[in-house]
Amino acid sequence: MAIAPIFRKAYWSLAIAGGLYFAFISLLLNGWIQRQAFYAHRVHTAWLHDPNKPEQFGFLKNQVQRFDIRTPDGEVLWGWHVLPLTLYAENERALIGQPVGAGDYEKSWAFKLLAENPESRLIIYFHGNAGTVAQGWRTDTYRAITAGASDKIHVLTVDYRGYGRSTGSPTEAGLITDGISLVKYAMEVAQIPPQRIVIVGQSLGSAVATAVAEHFTLEDAVEFKCLILCAAFSDVPTLMSSYTIGGLIPILSPLRPYPFLSQFFAKRIQETWFTFVRLANLVQNSKNVNVHLIHAKNDYDIPWSHSDTLFYAAANATSVEGLTFKQMDAVKTSIDFGESGWTNLWNTVQEDGGRKIIRQDIVKHGGNSHSLQKLTDRIAIAHQS
Ligand SMILES: *[C@@H]1O[C@H](CO)[C@@H](O)[C@H](O)[C@H]1NC(C)=O
């Protein structure tokens, strides 16, 4: 008889936890709340450091040039142009002499060094959710990326609408417009040809990067040097089926035993970011394509199985009739790099002479920081070749 109250207590705790969970996911049915949670654009520490003063993040004076661009739908996006170190050293005197954050970007030394050197290479970097261009290790990423060839690799990156100092608020269509605007700016105003541009996306940024590359392929048959997707996800409904906020609060995984409920909620995700569809479309419609997927095996936010989905979707899209997983496994080259991880390679020459390369690197250790290392190494190699 003495046990009964304990059970009753346990029952009530469970009922309360279940009730709270349902209240929580019911809130997530609201589109506005979904966007706040997914884009996390209000989560940042810009009140600690001012992204307008890149020197606060350890950069040399005027090593980072701030700029802004306008989107066709009237938003103003705020961004950074990061100069590589050797190039900076060669032009140090001129750069230091320039007023900090010179108002007119197109008259700045940074712009001139990018636009006027036929050897310059450009990384257009799309960041993940939350924060600003200056958030956390993003600043280290820019340093590492430019170090791959520190006399010529520049980085351009912007805060999407609703992030940092950019105007507006984020939506799927809006972020894609932002990405297209930045790439257009680089090609039309700075006049960098696409063969000298590598598009890089991290996490949410990989979805933006893919949509942007797809757009340029379909609209203008533009082929970039390479598309590098780091910690990419196939689509939001699949991501949410395993995602936990801060590694603690699950979104849809508790519903897995109840397919009806899972589907009910999954169908109500408004911004789906179907990257696997866009990637397949991109691969299918380009003549030449070079896609690198990089993922850490111990990425707990975005499981590396997502990069498998993307790899197969892209490989499949190189064939007109489509392929089974078995056929793809028989053709792909897998290379085991021991403790460094492994690589799957899909390298096809098409009937029209075009070349489609899909590469997947899985990093075994170190989570996001090592996949970052791999990312910077791959960028350096992509630009050398
Ligand atoms: C593979 O491609 C074919 C033809 O385009 C398509 O019908 C099929 O759904 C694709 N399969 C996968 C797994 O993407």
Side-chain angles (χ1 to χ4, degrees), residues 24-333:
F24 165 70
I25 54 169
S26 303
L27 279 179
L28 285 180
L29 289 176
N30 176 289
W32 185 84
I33 292 178
Q34 279 183 16
R35 285 194 298 278
Q36 300 298 313
F38 181 69
Y39 295 110
H41 51 294
R42 285 169 214 265
V43 182
H44 61 78
T45 54
W47 41 273
L48 270 180
H49 309 273
D50 182 358
N52 214 3
K53 299 191 176 106
E55 288 79 6
Q56 288 185 356
F57 301 85
F59 288 103
L60 300 166
K61 188 180 171 192
N62 289 334
Q63 188 187 355
V64 175
Q65 169 69 44
R66 64 158 247 89
F67 67 95
D68 39 55
I69 56 169
R70 256 160 217 287
T71 68
D73 56 350
E75 304 297 353
V76 178
L77 309 179
W78 190 99
W80 271 11
H81 172 175
V82 185
L83 287 171
L85 205 54
T86 303
L87 187 66
Y88 179 91
E90 286 165 4
N91 296 276
E92 190 172 12
R93 200 180 271 249
L95 283 160
I96 289 178
Q98 179 187 278
V100 171
D104 193 346
Y105 171 54
E106 281 146 44
K107 293 203 179 102
S108 71
W109 269 94
F111 182 85
K112 229 184 277 184
L113 291 172
L114 169 67
E116 288 176 8
N117 179 1
E119 279 304 304
S120 59
R121 301 285 188 271
L122 179 60
I123 306 293
I124 297 186
Y125 180 85
F126 293 114
H127 70 64
N129 73 349
T132 68
V133 292
Q135 197 76 27
W137 47 261
R138 283 174 197 161
T139 53
D140 293 335
T141 310
Y142 312 142
R143 288 192 185 88
I145 289 175
T146 55
S150 77
D151 55 337
K152 60 180 181 188
I153 299 184
H154 299 245
V155 176
L156 284 186
T157 182
V158 290
D159 276 325
Y160 315 112
R161 61 188 63 200
Y163 286 81
R165 288 166 179 250
S166 300
T167 61
S169 59
T171 59
E172 180 168 352
L175 264 58
I176 296 170
T177 302
D178 296 347
I180 293 170
S181 306
L182 177 58
V183 173
K184 256 204 171 109
Y185 183 87
M187 290 199 300
E188 288 172 8
V189 182
Q191 299 200 340
I192 311 295
Q195 305 87 316
R196 287 202 262 133
I197 298 178
V198 172
I199 309 231
V200 178
Q202 162 83 25
S203 190
L204 168 64
S206 66
V208 179
T210 307
V212 168
E214 183 204 19
H215 166 90
F216 282 99
T217 299
L218 298 186
E219 296 293 310
D220 310 314
V222 166
E223 288 167 358
F224 299 100
K225 177 90 183 165
C226 189
L227 171 68
I228 303 187
L229 308 176
C230 204
F233 53 94
S234 65
D235 59 279
V236 179
T238 308
L239 180 63
M240 286 307 141
S241 68
S242 67
Y243 195 76
T244 56
I245 299 175
L248 289 172
I249 310 166
I251 309 256
L252 293 182
S253 51
L255 298 181
R256 230 175 276 163
Y258 315 101
F260 169 76
L261 279 178
S262 309
Q263 275 170 26
F264 176 84
F265 282 101
K267 275 205 191 109
R268 277 155 188 81
I269 292 174
Q270 294 181 4
E271 312 237 305
T272 49
W273 289 99
F274 280 120
T275 300
F276 71 99
V277 177
R278 290 182 175 136
L279 186 62
N281 210 13
L282 159 72
V283 170
Q284 199 163 28
N285 289 288
S286 339
K287 183 160 188 270
N288 301 285
V289 77
N290 194 355
V291 179
H292 280 178
L293 300 153
I294 301 172
H295 218 116
K297 192 168 171 242
N298 55 355
D299 183 333
Y300 298 114
D301 289 328
I302 303 173
W304 68 276
S305 58
H306 282 266
S307 89
D308 263 359
T309 308
L310 293 168
F311 178 82
Y312 284 115
N316 182 41
T318 62
S319 136
V320 181
E321 317 79 57
L323 300 161
T324 63
F325 288 107
K326 216 171 163 186
Q327 286 170 317
M328 288 191 269
D329 282 336
V331 175
K332 78 176 185 206
T333 311

